């Protein structure tokens, strides 16, 4: 039936948008060091996933995924994307990060014009929708260029380059179909295995960072007991928020896997493509981030281009 897939797709949009808003709030407000905070954003859903794993591991064991190089490669790509987005959310508003994340789609759309790529790789599939994607994305960038706050050059700052590069790597790895899952139950152990890899990849960086004694990675607390209690209270508040984020992270992965594997693309992808708009609206009401009209127009253009790719 279509109705359950529609409901699950809507839940996916809400959970994924919530992740964007939570990450923006946590990484911009928390006094915890960036690497430590990023480690906890992976550790919390991993621990929650271990609690749920017995209900799904009868399909394919966790270690059957974890001990393979395709899982490690996909986890590395996802790890780089996660760090790039987390770093960007530390300094930029939600819609600005989302707009930067649309640039790789434009690169791949232009690349699909060349037959040497479109005839060999599914990622560079060429069709009428490709023209519409290019045109709508360029129009969106024109809107961005007319904004006073955000310029085209800001796409290629440090955070923008990290997002673009990591997303392109992730899209290339995903297009190679290194790991195939036949049911959404199989996708759960795979997701947890990738979270375990991401924690393993973060630990050496965290260890080196702590060994250097970087003062920026430590919360400076006064000697008074009141200051210590305030610092502890802020830490526990952050951990509670990260626990809530863990539930949203697993719900996002769960609903995505179920919808992609069980639902028709013409139903799920138009709904999925509303995520940038929903996240931007949520950030406006929750985080009080006021968008410029040109940014909303650009997001609408990006949504139109992505949706047309499904039907054309």
């Amino acid at each position: 039936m279509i109705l359950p897939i529609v409901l699950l797709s809507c839940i996916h949009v809400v959970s994924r948008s919530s992740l964007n808003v939570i990450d923006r709030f946590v990484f911009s407000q928390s006094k915890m060091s960036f690497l430590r905070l990023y480690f906890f954003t992976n550790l919390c859903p991993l621990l929650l996933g271990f609690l749920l794993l017995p209900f799904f591991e009868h399909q394919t064991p966790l270690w059957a995924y974890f001990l393979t190089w395709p899982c490690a490669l996909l986890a590395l790509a996802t790890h780089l994307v996660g760090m790039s987005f987390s770093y960007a959310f530390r300094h930029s508003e939600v819609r600005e990060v989302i707009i930067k994340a649309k640039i790789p789609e434009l690169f791949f759309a232009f690349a699909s014009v060349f037959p040497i790529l479109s005839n060999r790789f599914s990622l560079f599939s060429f069709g009428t929708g490709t023209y519409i994607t290019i045109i709508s994305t360029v129009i969106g960038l024109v809107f961005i260029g007319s904004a006073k706050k955000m310029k085209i050059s800001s796409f290629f700052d440090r955070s923008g380059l990290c997002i673009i590069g990591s997303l392109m790597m992730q899209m290339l790895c995903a297009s190679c179909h290194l790991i195939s899952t036949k049911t959404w139950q199989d996708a759960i152990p795979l997701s947890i295995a990738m979270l375990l890899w991401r924690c393993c990849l973060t630990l050496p960086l965290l260890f080196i960072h702590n060994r250097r004694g970087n003062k920026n990675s430590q919360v400076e607390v006064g000697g008074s007991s009141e200051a210590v209690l305030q610092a502890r209270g802020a830490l526990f508040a952050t951990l509670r928020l990260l626990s809530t984020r863990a539930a949203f992270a697993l719900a996002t992965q769960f609903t995505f896997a179920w919808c992609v594997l069980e639902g028709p693309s013409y139903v799920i992808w138009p709904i999925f493509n509303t995520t940038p708009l929903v996240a931007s609206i949520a950030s406006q009401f929750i985080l009080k981030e006021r968008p410029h009209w040109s940014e909303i127009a650009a997001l609408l253009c990006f949504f139109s281009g992505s949706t047309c790719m499904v039907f054309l």
Side-chain angles (χ1 to χ4, degrees):
M1 295 178 63
I2 297 297
L3 182 58
I5 294 297
V6 171
L7 292 176
L8 285 171
S9 299
C10 293
I11 292 173
H12 173 80
V13 170
V14 172
S15 62
R16 191 166 183 176
S17 300
S18 300
L19 285 178
N20 289 331
V21 174
I22 292 174
D23 284 350
R24 166 59 179 162
F25 177 80
V26 170
F27 281 97
S28 64
Q29 300 296 325
S30 177
K31 301 300 182 182
M32 191 183 300
S33 69
F34 172 78
L35 283 175
R36 189 175 301 172
L37 187 57
Y38 178 73
F39 176 73
F40 279 118
T41 61
N42 291 299
L43 180 63
C44 289
L46 175 64
L47 295 177
L48 181 57
F50 277 136
L51 296 177
L52 300 176
L53 192 59
F55 297 99
F56 301 98
E57 200 168 16
H58 66 279
Q59 300 291 325
T60 303
L62 169 69
W63 302 109
Y65 287 120
F66 181 78
L67 297 176
T68 59
W69 70 265
C71 179
L73 182 59
L74 286 172
L76 175 61
T78 307
H79 170 71
L80 294 175
V81 170
M83 290 196 71
S84 300
F85 272 80
S86 300
Y87 177 79
F89 279 128
R90 202 172 186 89
H91 306 284
S92 305
E93 296 182 354
V94 171
R95 63 187 177 279
E96 295 175 358
V97 177
I98 291 174
I99 291 173
K100 290 178 181 179
K102 302 300 291 186
I103 298 300
E105 295 183 14
L106 182 62
F107 286 165
F108 284 118
F110 274 117
S112 65
V113 175
F114 300 97
I116 191 174
L117 295 175
S118 59
N119 293 336
R120 295 184 180 183
F121 303 98
S122 59
L123 181 63
F124 301 98
S125 57
F126 181 74
T128 306
T130 305
Y131 287 113
I132 296 178
T133 299
I134 293 175
I135 294 172
S136 60
T137 304
V138 170
I139 293 175
L141 294 177
V142 171
F143 280 121
I144 293 299
S146 66
K148 296 181 179 179
K149 183 178 180 181
M150 189 174 184
K151 300 298 183 181
I152 298 297
S153 58
S154 66
F155 289 124
F156 304 101
D157 58 9
R158 181 183 300 177
S159 64
L161 290 175
C162 289
I163 288 176
I164 293 171
S166 60
L167 276 177
M168 291 179 69
M169 177 182 175
Q170 185 187 50
M171 293 167 73
L172 286 170
C173 290
S175 66
C176 294
H177 304 289
L178 300 177
I179 300 179
S180 61
T181 54
K182 297 180 180 179
T183 65
W184 59 267
Q185 291 95 334
D186 287 329
I188 304 303
L190 172 61
S191 302
I192 298 173
M194 291 177 63
L195 282 171
L196 182 56
W197 266 116
R198 292 174 67 179
C199 287
C200 293
L201 291 169
T202 309
L203 276 175
L205 298 175
L206 188 60
F207 178 76
I208 294 172
H209 182 71
N210 290 337
R211 283 292 298 269
R212 288 179 177 176
N214 191 333
K215 296 181 180 180
N216 293 328
S217 68
Q218 299 177 2
V219 179
E220 296 183 359
V221 181
S224 65
S225 58
E226 182 179 355
V228 173
L229 290 175
Q230 290 178 351
R232 289 178 179 176
L235 176 61
F236 288 138
T238 300
L239 292 177
R240 285 195 299 269
L241 188 56
L242 290 178
S243 300
T244 303
R245 182 195 182 280
F248 281 117
L250 288 181
T252 300
Q253 183 61 43
F254 177 83
T255 53
F256 178 82
W258 192 338
C259 292
V260 168
L261 293 171
E262 304 291 339
S265 59
Y266 64 86
V267 173
I268 62 174
W269 285 110
I271 299 176
F272 285 177
N273 289 336
T274 62
T275 301
L277 293 172
V278 175
S280 298
I281 293 172
S283 68
Q284 178 179 356
F285 286 100
I286 298 175
L287 302 179
K288 308 303 180 184
E289 296 180 349
R290 302 300 179 186
H292 190 270
W293 68 267
S294 59
E295 295 170 336
I296 297 299
L299 289 173
L300 288 172
C301 289
F302 297 152
F303 165 75
S304 301
S306 299
T307 303
C308 286
M309 286 291 291
V310 179
F311 298 101
L312 299 175

